[in-house]
Protein backbone atom coordinates (compact mmCIF):
# COMPACT_ATOMS: atom_id res chain seq x y z
CA UNK A 1 0.00 0.00 0.00
CA UNK A 2 1.48 3.34 -1.03
CA UNK A 3 -0.90 5.45 1.07
CA UNK A 4 -0.93 8.00 -1.72
CA UNK A 5 -4.67 8.46 -1.41
CA UNK A 6 -5.71 6.89 1.87
CA UNK A 7 -9.52 6.77 1.76
CA UNK A 8 -12.24 5.79 4.26
CA UNK A 9 -14.61 3.48 2.42
CA UNK A 10 -17.83 2.02 3.77
CA UNK A 11 -18.06 -1.39 2.11
CA UNK A 12 -21.29 -2.45 3.78
CA UNK A 13 -23.12 -2.04 7.05
CA UNK A 14 -20.58 -2.22 9.88
CA UNK A 15 -17.59 -2.44 7.53
CA UNK A 16 -15.40 0.68 7.11
CA UNK A 17 -11.99 0.11 5.55
CA UNK A 18 -9.07 2.47 5.10
CA UNK A 19 -7.58 1.81 1.71
CA UNK A 20 -5.35 3.42 -0.84
CA UNK A 21 -7.39 4.43 -3.86
CA UNK A 22 -6.45 6.07 -7.17
CA UNK A 23 -5.77 9.82 -6.98
CA UNK A 24 -8.66 11.44 -8.90
CA UNK A 25 -7.90 13.90 -11.69
CA UNK A 26 -10.03 17.04 -12.08
CA UNK A 27 -12.27 17.21 -15.14
CA UNK A 28 -13.34 20.47 -16.81
CA UNK A 29 -14.73 22.91 -14.23
CA UNK A 30 -13.37 20.85 -11.35
CA UNK A 31 -10.56 21.13 -8.84
CA UNK A 32 -8.48 18.47 -7.16
CA UNK A 33 -8.31 19.03 -3.43
CA UNK A 34 -5.70 17.94 -0.95
CA UNK A 35 -8.13 17.29 1.89
CA UNK A 36 -7.45 19.01 5.23
CA UNK A 37 -10.37 18.51 7.59
CA UNK A 38 -13.53 16.41 7.51
CA UNK A 39 -16.08 16.44 10.35
CA UNK A 40 -18.10 13.32 11.10
CA UNK A 41 -21.85 13.74 10.83
CA UNK A 42 -24.58 11.63 12.41
CA UNK A 43 -25.49 10.46 8.89
CA UNK A 44 -21.98 9.03 8.29
CA UNK A 45 -22.36 7.01 11.47
CA UNK A 46 -25.90 5.99 10.50
CA UNK A 47 -24.78 4.59 7.13
CA UNK A 48 -22.00 2.70 8.92
CA UNK A 49 -24.38 1.29 11.55
CA UNK A 50 -27.42 0.61 9.36
CA UNK A 51 -26.30 0.70 5.72
CA UNK A 52 -29.18 3.01 4.79
CA UNK A 53 -31.08 6.18 5.62
CA UNK A 54 -34.67 5.97 4.41
CA UNK A 55 -34.64 5.37 0.66
CA UNK A 56 -30.89 5.93 0.38
CA UNK A 57 -29.48 2.42 0.56
CA UNK A 58 -25.81 1.51 0.35
CA UNK A 59 -25.53 -0.96 -2.54
CA UNK A 60 -21.85 -0.55 -3.40
CA UNK A 61 -18.76 0.59 -1.46
CA UNK A 62 -18.91 4.34 -0.80
CA UNK A 63 -16.36 6.86 0.46
CA UNK A 64 -17.64 8.51 3.66
CA UNK A 65 -17.49 12.17 4.70
CA UNK A 66 -19.15 15.41 3.59
CA UNK A 67 -18.31 18.16 6.12
CA UNK A 68 -15.06 19.12 4.53
CA UNK A 69 -12.37 21.61 3.57
CA UNK A 70 -9.19 21.22 1.55
CA UNK A 71 -6.44 22.96 -0.40
CA UNK A 72 -6.62 23.20 -4.20
CA UNK A 73 -3.85 20.96 -5.58
CA UNK A 74 -4.80 20.99 -9.29
CA UNK A 75 -7.28 22.94 -11.40
CA UNK A 76 -9.22 21.43 -14.28
CA UNK A 77 -9.80 23.04 -17.67
CA UNK A 78 -11.75 26.27 -17.62
CA UNK A 79 -11.49 26.96 -13.87
CA UNK A 80 -10.73 30.63 -13.29
CA UNK A 81 -12.23 31.18 -9.82
CA UNK A 82 -9.60 29.17 -7.94
CA UNK A 83 -5.87 28.51 -8.12
CA UNK A 84 -3.48 25.95 -6.69
CA UNK A 85 -2.91 26.65 -2.99
CA UNK A 86 -6.32 28.20 -2.31
CA UNK A 87 -7.92 26.87 0.87
CA UNK A 88 -11.60 26.12 0.35
CA UNK A 89 -14.72 24.87 2.09
CA UNK A 90 -16.52 22.25 0.02
CA UNK A 91 -20.29 22.48 -0.35
CA UNK A 92 -20.97 18.75 -0.66
CA UNK A 93 -24.12 18.74 -2.79
CA UNK A 94 -23.81 19.46 -6.51
CA UNK A 95 -27.18 19.78 -8.26
CA UNK A 96 -27.96 19.44 -11.98
CA UNK A 97 -28.26 23.25 -12.38
CA UNK A 98 -30.88 22.76 -15.16
CA UNK A 99 -34.13 21.49 -13.60
CA UNK A 100 -37.01 23.69 -12.47
CA UNK A 101 -35.97 23.50 -8.82
CA UNK A 102 -32.41 24.51 -9.67
CA UNK A 103 -33.62 27.35 -11.88
CA UNK A 104 -35.90 28.59 -9.10
CA UNK A 105 -32.84 28.82 -6.87
CA UNK A 106 -33.93 25.92 -4.70
CA UNK A 107 -31.20 23.57 -5.85
CA UNK A 108 -31.29 21.63 -2.55
CA UNK A 109 -34.52 20.11 -3.87
CA UNK A 110 -32.96 19.04 -7.20
CA UNK A 111 -34.00 15.45 -8.00
CA UNK A 112 -30.58 14.87 -9.55
CA UNK A 113 -28.59 16.15 -6.59
CA UNK A 114 -25.22 14.47 -6.15
CA UNK A 115 -24.43 14.75 -2.46
CA UNK A 116 -21.18 13.48 -0.95
CA UNK A 117 -21.56 10.27 1.07
CA UNK A 118 -25.23 9.84 0.21
CA UNK A 119 -25.38 6.56 -1.77
CA UNK A 120 -24.26 6.07 -4.47
CA UNK A 121 -22.16 9.26 -4.41
CA UNK A 122 -18.69 9.13 -2.87
CA UNK A 123 -17.74 11.46 -0.03
CA UNK A 124 -14.39 13.10 0.67
CA UNK A 125 -12.85 11.45 3.71
CA UNK A 126 -9.59 10.85 1.86
CA UNK A 127 -6.22 12.46 1.13
CA UNK A 128 -7.36 13.63 -2.32
CA UNK A 129 -10.77 14.38 -3.77
CA UNK A 130 -12.21 16.13 -6.84
CA UNK A 131 -15.15 18.58 -6.72
CA UNK A 132 -16.86 21.13 -8.98
CA UNK A 133 -15.06 24.44 -8.52
CA UNK A 134 -18.26 26.48 -8.23
CA UNK A 135 -19.20 24.51 -5.10
CA UNK A 136 -15.88 25.34 -3.41
CA UNK A 137 -15.65 28.52 -1.33
CA UNK A 138 -12.29 30.20 -0.82
CA UNK A 139 -11.48 30.76 2.84
CA UNK A 140 -9.89 34.03 3.98
CA UNK A 141 -6.45 33.56 5.58
CA UNK A 142 -7.79 33.92 9.12
CA UNK A 143 -10.46 31.21 8.72
CA UNK A 144 -9.10 27.71 9.40
CA UNK A 145 -9.94 24.60 7.39
CA UNK A 146 -11.56 23.19 10.55
CA UNK A 147 -13.92 26.16 10.46
CA UNK A 148 -14.28 25.58 6.72
CA UNK A 149 -15.46 22.02 7.41
CA UNK A 150 -17.95 23.35 9.97
CA UNK A 151 -19.56 25.56 7.33
CA UNK A 152 -21.54 22.45 6.42
CA UNK A 153 -23.52 22.02 9.66
CA UNK A 154 -23.56 25.81 10.14
CA UNK A 155 -25.29 26.13 6.76
CA UNK A 156 -28.07 23.89 8.07
CA UNK A 157 -28.56 26.42 10.87
CA UNK A 158 -28.53 29.33 8.41
CA UNK A 159 -31.16 27.69 6.21
CA UNK A 160 -33.37 26.72 9.17
CA UNK A 161 -33.24 30.20 10.70
CA UNK A 162 -34.06 31.75 7.31
CA UNK A 163 -37.03 29.41 6.82
CA UNK A 164 -38.12 30.16 10.40
CA UNK A 165 -37.85 33.93 9.89
CA UNK A 166 -35.60 34.48 12.90
CA UNK A 167 -34.90 38.20 13.21
CA UNK A 168 -34.15 40.98 15.70
CA UNK A 169 -35.89 40.27 18.98
CA UNK A 170 -37.16 36.81 18.05
CA UNK A 171 -37.89 34.43 20.90
CA UNK A 172 -36.76 31.04 19.75
CA UNK A 173 -37.07 27.53 21.13
CA UNK A 174 -34.56 24.96 19.89
CA UNK A 175 -35.36 21.33 20.66
CA UNK A 176 -32.29 19.10 20.83
CA UNK A 177 -28.73 20.22 21.67
CA UNK A 178 -26.72 18.04 19.29
CA UNK A 179 -24.43 19.66 16.72
CA UNK A 180 -27.44 20.72 14.64
CA UNK A 181 -29.32 22.25 17.58
CA UNK A 182 -26.14 24.13 18.54
CA UNK A 183 -25.51 25.59 15.07
CA UNK A 184 -29.13 26.75 15.09
CA UNK A 185 -28.49 28.36 18.47
CA UNK A 186 -25.41 30.18 17.12
CA UNK A 187 -27.26 31.33 14.01
CA UNK A 188 -30.40 32.45 15.85
CA UNK A 189 -28.29 34.57 18.23
CA UNK A 190 -26.37 36.03 15.28
CA UNK A 191 -29.71 36.88 13.61
CA UNK A 192 -30.57 38.98 16.65
CA UNK A 193 -32.86 36.62 18.56
CA UNK A 194 -33.31 38.14 22.00
CA UNK A 195 -34.03 34.91 23.84
CA UNK A 196 -33.10 31.40 22.82
CA UNK A 197 -34.10 28.38 24.88
CA UNK A 198 -32.62 24.95 24.18
CA UNK A 199 -34.06 21.62 25.33
CA UNK A 200 -32.47 18.18 25.57
CA UNK A 201 -32.65 15.00 27.65
CA UNK A 202 -28.95 15.14 28.38
CA UNK A 203 -27.38 17.42 31.00
CA UNK A 204 -23.97 17.54 29.31
CA UNK A 205 -25.50 18.69 26.04
CA UNK A 206 -27.50 21.36 27.87
CA UNK A 207 -24.30 22.57 29.55
CA UNK A 208 -22.74 22.87 26.10
CA UNK A 209 -25.76 24.87 24.87
CA UNK A 210 -25.41 27.20 27.84
CA UNK A 211 -21.69 27.63 27.18
CA UNK A 212 -22.46 28.44 23.54
CA UNK A 213 -24.87 31.22 24.36
CA UNK A 214 -28.30 29.75 25.18
CA UNK A 215 -30.23 32.16 27.36
CA UNK A 216 -32.17 29.29 28.88
CA UNK A 217 -31.96 25.54 28.88
CA UNK A 218 -34.72 23.13 29.83
CA UNK A 219 -34.16 19.47 30.56
CA UNK A 220 -36.87 17.27 29.06
CA UNK A 221 -38.27 15.41 32.05
CA UNK A 222 -41.84 14.58 31.01
CA UNK A 223 -42.98 12.19 28.30
CA UNK A 224 -46.23 14.18 28.03
CA UNK A 225 -45.70 16.82 25.29
CA UNK A 226 -48.42 19.13 26.64
CA UNK A 227 -46.87 19.08 30.08
CA UNK A 228 -43.41 19.63 28.57
CA UNK A 229 -44.74 22.58 26.57
CA UNK A 230 -46.15 24.09 29.78
CA UNK A 231 -42.82 23.64 31.55
CA UNK A 232 -40.96 25.35 28.69
CA UNK A 233 -43.49 28.19 28.52
CA UNK A 234 -43.12 28.64 32.29
CA UNK A 235 -39.33 28.97 31.96
CA UNK A 236 -39.59 31.25 28.92
CA UNK A 237 -42.27 33.46 30.47
CA UNK A 238 -44.34 33.19 27.29
CA UNK A 239 -44.64 30.94 24.24
CA UNK A 240 -41.82 31.34 21.71
CA UNK A 241 -42.97 32.50 18.28
CA UNK A 242 -40.43 30.25 16.57
CA UNK A 243 -39.50 26.68 17.37
CA UNK A 244 -36.69 24.89 15.54
CA UNK A 245 -37.00 21.17 16.16
CA UNK A 246 -33.54 19.53 15.96
CA UNK A 247 -34.02 16.14 17.62
CA UNK A 248 -36.41 14.32 15.30
CA UNK A 249 -37.98 12.68 18.37
CA UNK A 250 -41.77 12.38 17.89
CA UNK A 251 -42.49 13.57 21.45
CA UNK A 252 -40.32 16.62 20.86
CA UNK A 253 -42.10 17.51 17.60
CA UNK A 254 -45.42 17.32 19.46
CA UNK A 255 -44.00 19.54 22.22
CA UNK A 256 -42.74 21.96 19.56
CA UNK A 257 -46.27 22.42 18.19
CA UNK A 258 -47.96 22.83 21.59
CA UNK A 259 -45.27 25.22 22.74
CA UNK A 260 -45.25 27.62 19.77
CA UNK A 261 -47.23 30.87 19.99
CA UNK A 262 -50.38 31.11 17.86
CA UNK A 263 -49.45 32.48 14.45
CA UNK A 264 -45.87 31.30 14.92
CA UNK A 265 -43.75 28.77 13.09
CA UNK A 266 -42.27 25.35 13.77
CA UNK A 267 -39.35 24.34 11.56
CA UNK A 268 -38.65 20.63 11.34
CA UNK A 269 -34.93 20.03 11.08
CA UNK A 270 -34.66 16.75 12.97
CA UNK A 271 -35.50 13.68 10.94
CA UNK A 272 -36.71 10.71 12.93
CA UNK A 273 -39.37 8.13 12.04
CA UNK A 274 -40.99 8.78 8.65
CA UNK A 275 -44.55 8.79 10.06
CA UNK A 276 -45.27 10.69 13.24
CA UNK A 277 -48.60 11.42 14.96
CA UNK A 278 -48.92 15.17 15.54
CA UNK A 279 -51.44 17.51 17.22
CA UNK A 280 -52.27 18.83 13.79
CA UNK A 281 -55.64 20.38 14.74
CA UNK A 282 -53.93 22.38 17.47
CA UNK A 283 -51.48 23.65 14.84
CA UNK A 284 -54.28 24.34 12.35
CA UNK A 285 -56.64 26.31 14.60
CA UNK A 286 -53.80 28.35 16.09
CA UNK A 287 -52.25 29.00 12.67
CA UNK A 288 -48.91 27.54 13.66
CA UNK A 289 -47.03 27.00 10.41
CA UNK A 290 -45.04 23.79 10.09
CA UNK A 291 -42.11 24.01 7.69
CA UNK A 292 -39.52 21.48 6.68
CA UNK A 293 -35.95 22.08 5.69
CA UNK A 294 -33.65 19.98 3.56
CA UNK A 295 -29.97 20.70 4.10
CA UNK A 296 -29.38 24.27 2.78
CA UNK A 297 -29.42 26.33 -0.36
CA UNK A 298 -27.18 29.31 -1.13
CA UNK A 299 -26.13 29.31 2.54
CA UNK A 300 -22.36 28.71 2.35
CA UNK A 301 -21.50 32.35 1.56
CA UNK A 302 -23.62 33.54 4.51
CA UNK A 303 -22.19 30.93 6.88
CA UNK A 304 -18.65 31.86 5.79
CA UNK A 305 -19.32 35.58 6.23
CA UNK A 306 -20.66 34.90 9.73
CA UNK A 307 -17.47 33.06 10.68
CA UNK A 308 -15.07 35.42 8.91
CA UNK A 309 -16.62 38.47 10.59
CA UNK A 310 -16.52 36.87 14.03
CA UNK A 311 -20.32 36.99 14.40
CA UNK A 312 -20.28 33.27 15.05
CA UNK A 313 -17.61 31.08 16.62
CA UNK A 314 -18.06 27.42 15.68
CA UNK A 315 -14.71 26.25 17.04
CA UNK A 316 -16.05 25.20 20.47
CA UNK A 317 -18.22 22.60 18.69
CA UNK A 318 -15.10 20.50 18.08
CA UNK A 319 -14.62 18.18 21.04
CA UNK A 320 -12.42 15.47 19.47
CA UNK A 321 -9.69 15.40 16.84
CA UNK A 322 -8.28 12.37 15.01
CA UNK A 323 -5.98 11.66 12.10
CA UNK A 324 -7.28 10.02 8.93
CA UNK A 325 -5.35 6.89 9.91
CA UNK A 326 -7.47 6.73 13.09
CA UNK A 327 -10.82 7.01 11.33
CA UNK A 328 -12.23 3.94 13.10
CA UNK A 329 -11.57 5.43 16.51
CA UNK A 330 -13.18 8.67 15.33
CA UNK A 331 -16.32 6.82 14.23
CA UNK A 332 -16.50 4.84 17.49
CA UNK A 333 -16.22 8.10 19.44
CA UNK A 334 -19.05 9.68 17.43
CA UNK A 335 -21.22 6.59 17.78
CA UNK A 336 -20.81 6.59 21.58
CA UNK A 337 -22.04 10.20 21.59
CA UNK A 338 -19.06 11.21 23.73
CA UNK A 339 -18.57 14.63 22.22
CA UNK A 340 -20.26 17.08 19.89
CA UNK A 341 -18.19 17.36 16.72
CA UNK A 342 -15.48 14.85 15.90
CA UNK A 343 -12.99 16.25 13.38
CA UNK A 344 -10.62 14.23 11.22
CA UNK A 345 -7.40 15.74 9.89
CA UNK A 346 -6.67 14.29 6.45
CA UNK A 347 -3.38 16.06 5.87
CA UNK A 348 -0.35 13.82 6.20
P1 LIG B 1 -27.81 14.31 17.60
O1 LIG B 1 -28.39 12.95 17.72
O2 LIG B 1 -26.39 14.52 17.98
O3 LIG B 1 -28.67 15.33 18.49
C1 LIG B 1 -30.01 15.16 18.79
C2 LIG B 1 -30.23 15.63 20.22
O4 LIG B 1 -31.62 15.55 20.50
C3 LIG B 1 -29.51 14.76 21.25
O5 LIG B 1 -28.68 15.57 22.07
C4 LIG B 1 -30.64 14.11 22.02
O6 LIG B 1 -30.34 13.91 23.39
C5 LIG B 1 -31.76 15.13 21.84
N1 LIG B 1 -33.10 14.59 22.06
C6 LIG B 1 -33.57 13.33 21.87
N2 LIG B 1 -34.87 13.25 22.22
C7 LIG B 1 -35.24 14.49 22.62
C8 LIG B 1 -36.46 15.04 23.10
N3 LIG B 1 -37.55 14.28 23.25
N4 LIG B 1 -36.48 16.36 23.39
C9 LIG B 1 -35.37 17.13 23.27
N5 LIG B 1 -34.19 16.65 22.84
C10 LIG B 1 -34.12 15.35 22.52
O7 LIG B 1 -28.06 14.75 16.11
P2 LIG B 1 -27.60 16.05 15.27
O8 LIG B 1 -26.39 15.72 14.48
O9 LIG B 1 -27.58 17.25 16.14
O10 LIG B 1 -28.81 16.13 14.23
C11 LIG B 1 -30.09 16.40 14.71
C12 LIG B 1 -31.16 15.98 13.74
O11 LIG B 1 -31.10 16.79 12.58
C13 LIG B 1 -31.06 14.55 13.25
O12 LIG B 1 -32.36 13.98 13.24
C14 LIG B 1 -30.55 14.69 11.83
O13 LIG B 1 -30.96 13.64 11.01
C15 LIG B 1 -31.21 15.98 11.44
N6 LIG B 1 -30.62 16.70 10.32
C16 LIG B 1 -31.48 17.18 9.39
C17 LIG B 1 -31.02 17.91 8.34
C18 LIG B 1 -31.99 18.44 7.33
O14 LIG B 1 -31.57 18.82 6.26
N7 LIG B 1 -33.27 18.48 7.64
C19 LIG B 1 -29.64 18.17 8.20
C20 LIG B 1 -28.78 17.68 9.18
C21 LIG B 1 -29.27 16.95 10.25
ZN1 LIG C 1 -31.59 20.33 -10.65
Amino acid sequence: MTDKNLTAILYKQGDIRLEDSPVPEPGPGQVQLCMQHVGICGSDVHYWQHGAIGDFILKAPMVLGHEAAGVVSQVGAGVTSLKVGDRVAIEPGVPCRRCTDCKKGRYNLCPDMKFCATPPVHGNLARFYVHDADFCFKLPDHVSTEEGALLEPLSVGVHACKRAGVTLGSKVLICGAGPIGLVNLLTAKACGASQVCVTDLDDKRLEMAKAMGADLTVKVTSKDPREMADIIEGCFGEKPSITIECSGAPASIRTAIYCTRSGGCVVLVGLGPSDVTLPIVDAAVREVDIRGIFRYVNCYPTALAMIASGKVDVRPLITHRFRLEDTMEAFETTRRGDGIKVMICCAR
Side-chain angles (χ1 to χ4, degrees):
M1 192 164 111
T2 60
D3 182 19
K4 182 123 177 61
N5 188 21
L6 193 66
T7 305
I9 304 172
L10 179 63
Y11 268 78
K12 56 181 191 305
Q13 183 180 357
D15 182 9
I16 298 176
R17 298 183 210 168
L18 273 170
E19 283 182 357
D20 199 15
S21 58
V23 177
E25 293 296 319
Q30 294 187 317
V31 288
Q32 183 196 63
L33 298 156
C34 177
M35 298 302 296
Q36 298 295 303
H37 285 100
V38 181
I40 301 182
C41 169
S43 70
D44 293 311
V45 173
H46 202 276
Y47 282 120
W48 168 45
Q49 291 292 299
H50 303 280
I53 296 181
D55 292 339
F56 292 104
I57 299 160
L58 185 78
K59 292 178 182 153
M62 175 184 82
V63 181
L64 290 162
H66 64 271
E67 301 181 354
V71 180
V72 175
S73 46
Q74 251 191 73
V75 293
V79 175
T80 53
S81 57
L82 294 171
K83 59 181 190 313
V84 171
D86 283 346
R87 298 152 61 256
V88 298
I90 304 164
E91 181 171 345
V94 177
C96 82
R97 303 176 174 87
R98 284 186 291 271
C99 71
T100 308
D101 297 307
C102 282
K103 283 179 160 176
K104 276 187 185 158
R106 297 184 75 170
Y107 64 82
N108 58 323
L109 306 178
C110 174
D112 292 322
M113 174 65 90
K114 302 214 168 9
F115 197 94
C116 288
T118 295
V121 180
H122 288 310
N124 43 28
L125 187 47
R127 297 258 197 247
F128 290 96
Y129 166 75
V130 155
H131 203 68
D132 286 14
D134 58 331
F135 281 83
C136 294
F137 295 85
K138 187 172 172 358
L139 301 173
D141 290 345
H142 68 287
V143 176
S144 69
T145 46
E146 283 191 339
E147 292 171 293
L150 289 169
L151 286 187
E152 204 280 341
L154 183 58
S155 292
V156 175
V158 170
H159 189 46
C161 285
K162 278 189 191 168
R163 294 267 294 157
V166 179
T167 184
L168 280 179
S170 295
K171 303 206 168 179
V172 181
L173 172 66
I174 293 173
C175 307
I180 293 296
L182 295 175
V183 290
N184 274 281
L185 162 64
L186 292 173
T187 311
K189 294 296 285 187
C191 289
S194 58
Q195 219 184 349
V196 180
C197 174
V198 180
T199 69
D200 206 291
L201 307 165
D202 184 89
D203 286 316
K204 269 173 101 183
R205 293 220 150 172
L206 291 175
E207 273 168 38
M208 185 75 167
K210 208 86 224 197
M212 295 196 71
D215 301 287
L216 283 171
T217 57
V218 175
K219 182 165 177 166
V220 175
T221 46
S222 169
K223 285 199 163 54
D224 177 357
R226 267 184 203 275
E227 191 186 353
M228 219 34 248
D230 288 343
I231 293 171
I232 295 164
E233 185 182 343
C235 294
F236 228 111
E238 60 184 290
K239 282 180 167 11
S241 54
I242 291 170
T243 301
I244 305 178
E245 206 303 308
C246 299
S247 78
S252 181
I253 307 174
R254 291 191 272 271
T255 299
I257 292 174
Y258 286 130
C259 201
T260 302
R261 175 184 286 269
S262 298
C265 180
V266 174
V267 170
L268 302 179
V269 182
L271 304 171
S274 57
D275 294 305
V276 178
T277 302
L278 296 178
I280 209 74
V281 172
D282 181 70
V285 301
R286 295 195 304 109
E287 298 193 0
V288 171
D289 293 349
I290 301 173
R291 300 186 140 200
I293 71 138
F294 190 49
R295 299 171 177 152
Y296 35 76
V297 56
N298 295 311
C299 292
Y300 260 64
T302 307
L304 177 53
M306 282 162 57
I307 288 180
S309 63
K311 286 267 181 283
V312 155
D313 185 3
V314 285
R315 290 169 298 182
L317 289 169
I318 303 173
T319 51
H320 295 78
R321 291 177 169 86
F322 293 93
R323 288 165 0 119
L324 181 57
E325 289 84 339
D326 302 320
T327 290
M328 280 322 304
E329 212 185 317
F331 270 78
E332 286 292 351
T333 303
T334 317
R335 185 182 60 78
R336 283 196 303 270
D338 286 354
I340 296 290
K341 185 51 70 182
V342 174
M343 188 61 73
I344 297 182
C345 177
C346 298
R348 221 186 293 260

